[in-house]
Amino acid sequence: MCGIAGQFALNGDAADAVLVGAMAERLAHRGPDGEGSHFSGPVGLAHRRLAIIDLSDEGRQPMANEDGSLWIVFNGEIYNYRELREELLAAGHRFASATDTEVILHAYEEWGRDCLARFNGMWAFALWDERRRELFCARDRLGVKPFYYTVAGGSFLFASEIKALLAHPLAGGRPNDRMLSTFLAWGVADHTAETMYDGIFQLPPAHALVVSEGSVGEPERYWDVTMNGAPRGIDDETAARRVRDLLTDAVRLRLRSDVPVGTCLSGGIDSSTVTALINVLLRAESPESVGDRQKTFSVCFDDPRFDESRHIDTVVAATKVASRRTTPDTEGLWEDIERLLYMQDEPFASLSIYAQYCVMRLAQSEVKVVLDGQGADEQLGGYIAYQAPYIRGLLRRREILAALREGIGSARHHGSFFSWAFRQFRVRSERRGLLRGSPPEVLRYAGSLDEVLKREVVASNLPLLLHWEDRNSMAFSIEARVPFLDYRLVEYLAGLPLDQKVRHGVTKYVLRRAIRGLVPDAIRCRMDKMGFVTPEEVWMKDELASHIIALFSSPEFAGRPYWDAEQVLRNYREFLEGKSAYSTEFWRIACAEMWLKQFATV
């Protein structure tokens, strides 16, 4: 895991070493273990190193091939680099290091741009091909690692984080009003290639682009989530066994490291599964990166409504892992909020992000790599809101009995679903008039459940969560790895029928079956979902109220074109007085205002 940045002067001028250096400096938190740069005519490449694999100086970047015709800056991990290295050695390639970075270089030499199909991992890289005079840029299949770019002052600029691009005086000079308004109205971000900075884009997941002298190519897709799904007609037991095998191997590969590895443990099914699988692998293979005893990192709260301690205790008792815990509070949040916003680059829709931030800070003193359970919910129908499109789809196909069974199952297992749906309708009715403008409509749950889940994976939800995780982990120079997003598992799950994902109201059906005997039933059979959450509504009504009132009362806030400031303040006061329900719009508006104030100073 590292920070990358660079420039391609499209008019043929020499790259600006001062600019590229300034961009790299803004990424120092991503790579405290070293820095490097390379300049070749119009191209300048810079790298900040977080040493994870091959800690020697041979792992420094930018890295070149033997004759210096290829240069690369790379952020991420190619987990199957050992296997690819053996294949490339057999083909006649010679290696000067033990790094996965050098594997990319030789893979490009051997297979060209098709090398991407052979990688299992997370990556964002820019590879300068001196002979072709082309910069080949690529991002991993699910977008675990970020890649931002812009064209400013006649140059193509790229970086791991937006803040690095802002080192150029002509980059991101104003907010992207459409994206900001969409965020305020719908709570979404990272669902398109646009960012909240005008003129700054992200390379979409599973895309590559080529930049040559005088032109920036269009991003081209090289993979799709449904490319190689599960065969049709797989029975439950076979599907569960295959899911467990794929997930076990995904975890095994993600334990490859030359530095200590730990686990984020929320007490939910997904992180508990990863924790349990690591323990199995410890007994079978004893990966040195984990040590004799797995270290886990968790969030707890004094308020029992949000506390997962009892579930964490269950996993700890079953696995005998070392458990480290932290308790976020509003005093710490308000002290951290400026840095948190700076690290994220863009406003965020929920205070749950702060719990993860605190977990990464806790882990920083003991490990440099963490695994967690991100990505399972979007693939396996894990959120309550997915129940509605599933039942709706059954009804549209006139599968009335199946829809009735699912409705009864949802009522039995998720009684809160109906109160949640009513609450969303009521809050939406009450919050009319807060926002101005007409942002594009984003309907996350429209269509069949198959359509919803694919959209959630590639656009409407998972990309945003991965954005948060990357910035939160890298804020503390930690690499986060997500085994549920191993592309082999993603493809397999995408091909399974819906009733092996949700059955009679039971979410993640195939996963629950796959981990029987591995994860304690008290966790495996949980139907409530929390994860790394914070008591946002409680905090916004009590401890944070004075800060939010001050924010909503400021002259700057009143002058923004995105909301009706008087109505926002009035509705928020009504919420504080118990006259109306909490709206998540309150936090989004507050966060956007703090971001706008910070915007001019970055």
Side-chain angles (χ1 to χ4, degrees):
M1 191 76 64
C2 303
I4 63 174
Q7 175 191 18
F8 191 148
L10 300 174
N11 59 6
D13 289 346
D16 184 341
V18 174
L19 170 63
V20 173
M23 293 167 65
E25 183 61 29
R26 294 189 178 198
L27 302 174
H29 54 281
R30 297 185 71 94
D33 298 332
E35 58 184 312
S37 60
H38 170 74
F39 294 89
S40 175
V43 171
L45 306 175
H47 186 261
R48 295 292 310 214
R49 186 186 186 196
L50 180 63
I52 302 293
I53 292 175
D54 189 348
L55 309 185
S56 71
D57 286 346
E58 279 70 30
R60 291 178 298 179
Q61 296 184 45
M63 184 179 289
N65 64 345
E66 297 96 323
D67 64 6
S69 61
L70 301 176
W71 285 85
I72 190 173
V73 283
F74 161 56
N75 168 34
E77 301 289 350
I78 306 299
Y79 300 120
N80 62 333
Y81 75 100
R82 295 177 185 172
E83 292 78 6
L84 289 174
R85 178 188 172 94
E86 291 303 313
E87 187 176 353
L88 289 163
L89 283 169
H93 292 264
R94 295 293 176 263
F95 287 80
S97 74
T99 66
D100 53 342
T101 308
E102 192 177 6
V103 167
I104 298 175
L105 284 168
H106 288 286
Y108 180 82
E109 285 181 320
E110 184 69 19
W111 301 302
R113 299 172 192 170
D114 292 338
C115 65
L116 300 175
R118 296 175 177 263
F119 299 152
N120 184 349
M122 54 182 185
W123 65 83
F125 67 74
L127 190 155
W128 171 239
D129 189 327
E130 187 78 47
R131 293 194 181 99
R132 291 176 175 269
R133 307 296 291 175
E134 290 179 347
L135 189 69
F136 177 52
C137 307
R139 192 177 179 201
D140 66 73
R141 295 175 180 87
L142 278 305
V144 182
K145 292 296 100 196
F147 189 101
Y148 294 97
Y149 68 94
T150 191
V151 175
S155 287
F156 173 83
L157 307 172
F158 70 88
S160 297
E161 297 180 12
I162 293 172
K163 62 180 65 66
L165 299 177
L166 301 181
H168 193 291
L170 300 180
R174 61 183 302 275
N176 182 332
D177 290 345
R178 180 174 61 256
M179 290 296 288
L180 182 55
S181 295
T182 303
F183 164 79
L184 289 167
W186 301 102
V188 296
D190 292 277
H191 59 296
T192 74
E194 293 184 70
T195 71
M196 293 191 208
Y197 293 79
D198 189 45
I200 293 181
F201 302 89
Q202 57 179 319
L203 184 61
H207 280 70
L209 67 80
V210 175
V211 184
S212 57
E213 293 176 334
S215 70
V216 178
E218 290 294 322
E220 295 185 5
R221 176 177 291 278
Y222 63 84
W223 177 85
D224 186 82
V225 67
T226 55
M227 282 180 64
N228 299 290
R232 294 180 180 273
I234 296 293
D235 63 88
D236 288 348
E237 191 56 38
T238 301
R241 186 164 54 248
R242 181 59 175 159
V243 167
R244 180 155 169 173
D245 288 346
L246 286 170
L247 186 55
T248 300
D249 196 56
V251 171
R252 180 184 65 82
L253 287 178
R254 283 157 182 79
L255 292 177
R256 289 180 170 177
S257 172
D258 294 330
V259 296
V261 176
T263 313
C264 295
L265 175 61
S266 71
I269 296 172
D270 310 328
S271 64
S272 298
T273 297
V274 172
T275 301
L277 284 174
I278 291 175
N279 261 25
V280 169
L281 292 167
L282 272 176
R283 292 194 296 270
E285 301 180 11
S286 301
E288 295 180 1
S289 60
V290 179
D292 296 331
R293 189 180 182 200
Q294 185 184 171
K295 295 178 179 178
T296 63
F297 305 93
S298 307
V299 161
C300 299
F301 291 98
D302 297 330
D303 190 328
R305 293 174 296 174
F306 309 101
D307 186 48
E308 298 262 73
S309 294
R310 68 187 187 281
H311 301 302
I312 296 167
D313 291 341
T314 298
V315 178
V316 170
T319 58
K320 305 298 187 292
V321 297
S323 179
R324 308 286 188 266
R325 308 185 191 191
T326 184
T327 301
D329 57 36
T330 51
E331 182 177 347
L333 167 64
W334 211 250
E335 291 176 357
D336 291 333
I337 193 68
E338 186 174 341
R339 183 174 190 263
L340 180 56
L341 263 173
Y342 177 76
M343 287 299 170
Q344 289 294 326
D345 278 326
E346 297 175 288
F348 43 88
S350 168
L351 280 173
S352 63
I353 188 175
Y354 184 58
Q356 187 185 62
Y357 181 88
C358 292
V359 165
M360 297 302 178
R361 177 163 53 196
L362 175 68
Q364 180 186 33
S365 62
E366 300 196 47
V367 299
K368 290 185 75 172
V369 175
V370 294
L371 275 65
D372 80 4
Q374 193 75 269
D377 290 304
E378 292 80 7
Q379 299 180 73
L380 290 165
Y383 294 121
I384 291 176
Y386 297 150
Q387 300 289 309
Y390 188 30
I391 295 171
R392 185 174 62 239
L394 292 171
L395 290 173
R396 286 177 177 172
R397 294 194 300 273
R398 298 189 178 182
E399 299 178 34
I400 308 302
L401 289 178
L404 182 61
R405 284 194 296 268
E406 289 303 325
I408 293 171
S410 292
R412 182 171 65 248
H413 297 302
H414 310 285
S416 60
F417 167 68
F418 298 99
S419 60
W420 172 85
F422 174 74
R423 178 183 173 86
Q424 297 306 303
F425 173 78
R426 185 183 66 171
V427 168
R428 182 163 297 189
S429 299
E430 291 177 349
R431 70 189 188 193
R432 285 195 304 256
L434 297 188
L435 301 176
R436 290 174 174 162
S438 301
E441 191 172 45
V442 179
L443 300 178
R444 283 180 56 184
Y445 308 115
S448 68
L449 183 57
D450 267 329
E451 293 169 333
V452 169
L453 294 183
K454 180 175 181 179
R455 188 165 60 241
E456 289 280 271
V457 168
V458 303
S460 56
N461 196 55
L462 184 59
L464 175 59
L465 298 180
L466 293 173
H467 175 145
W468 292 358
E469 180 154 22
D470 174 81
R471 306 312 185 278
N472 278 338
S473 60
M474 293 310 297
F476 299 100
S477 305
I478 288 178
E479 176 174 291
R481 299 176 173 180
V482 281
F484 277 101
L485 297 184
D486 185 297
Y487 80 96
R488 300 167 300 170
L489 178 62
V490 172
E491 290 177 350
Y492 188 80
L493 292 177
L496 290 178
L498 288 177
D499 74 343
Q500 287 181 330
K501 301 174 184 179
V502 180
R503 184 175 299 178
H504 302 168
V506 176
T507 62
K508 305 181 187 175
Y509 180 83
V510 69
L511 177 62
R512 294 176 194 271
R513 193 177 182 111
I515 61 175
R516 184 180 296 161
L518 174 71
V519 173
D521 281 353
I523 304 299
R524 186 180 70 88
C525 299
R526 284 187 65 183
M527 292 298 167
D528 59 324
K529 175 169 181 57
M530 290 179 68
F532 290 144
V533 300
T534 58
E536 177 176 303
E537 181 175 342
V538 175
W539 286 0
M540 288 288 283
K541 190 164 189 174
D542 297 322
E543 293 99 325
L544 291 181
S546 61
H547 298 291
I548 303 301
I549 287 289
L551 200 67
F552 289 171
S553 303
S554 69
E556 296 93 340
F557 184 81
R560 306 294 186 193
Y562 309 107
W563 45 68
D564 183 328
E566 291 184 2
Q567 184 73 10
V568 171
L569 182 58
R570 181 164 54 251
N571 280 23
Y572 182 64
R573 288 190 185 278
E574 289 174 355
F575 158 67
L576 296 180
E577 295 164 2
K579 297 178 181 178
S580 64
Y582 178 68
S583 169
T584 54
E585 264 185 355
F586 291 142
W587 170 255
R588 294 202 297 271
I589 292 171
C591 191
E593 173 62 18
M594 287 184 279
W595 176 75
L596 287 164
K597 286 185 174 182
Q598 192 182 82
F599 184 93
T601 64
V602 175

